[in-house]
Amino acid sequence: MSNLELPVLGQEDAVACCSPMVREPLGEDAAVDLARMFKALSDPVRLRLLSLIASHEGGEACVCDLTGPFDVSQPTISHHLKVLREAGLVGSERRGTWVYYWVLPAALAKLSSLLQTPAGTAAVTAEAAR
């Protein structure tokens, strides 16, 4: 058997789009895409909605389950869900009269990987913060 390493296809795009910004600067297209996602999450209602959907049993939530915890109207909740959907953070599907939402794991992975610090820099970063 050979010790030859085989490349995994399709990984170039994942690394390029999701490299931590402390390792390499963002390209213009990636910055626009990520800024749209972060902007969508900058609203407390939308951040809570995303959390509610992600933590809901089964990984998806009916819009009827999302209106109760907020002191805003149902149309306002629908607007916030639309913003999350257009930012690529949640997916949705109409089932009868209700719409169900789920978090898109790839979008969360993209956001979290951008903010990761490379191994070995955590101690340096913690020391600089003091």
Side-chain angles (χ1 to χ4, degrees), residues 44-60:
V45 172
R46 289 193 288 264
L47 189 57
R48 287 184 60 208
L49 278 169
L50 188 74
S51 176
L52 280 171
I53 295 167
S55 63
H56 203 270
E57 187 175 332
E60 64 180 26

Side-chain angles (χ1 to χ4, degrees), residues 16-92:
C17 77
C18 303
S19 297
M21 63 182 156
V22 296
R23 196 173 332 148
E24 61 188 52
L26 286 173
E28 186 176 342
D29 292 339
V32 168
D33 189 40
L34 288 163
R36 185 176 29 145
M37 289 184 195
F38 281 116
K39 184 176 180 180
L41 291 175
S42 69
D43 183 279
V45 172
R46 289 193 288 264
L47 189 57
R48 287 184 60 208
L49 278 169
L50 188 74
S51 176
L52 280 171
I53 295 167
S55 63
H56 203 270
E57 187 175 332
E60 64 180 26
C62 174
V63 70
C64 60
D65 297 325
L66 300 173
T67 56
F70 299 97
D71 289 331
V72 296
S73 67
Q74 188 278 326
T76 301
I77 294 294
S78 292
H79 166 74
H80 286 303
L81 289 167
K82 177 184 173 188
V83 171
L84 290 172
R85 194 179 69 248
E86 289 176 347
L89 294 166
V90 298
S92 65

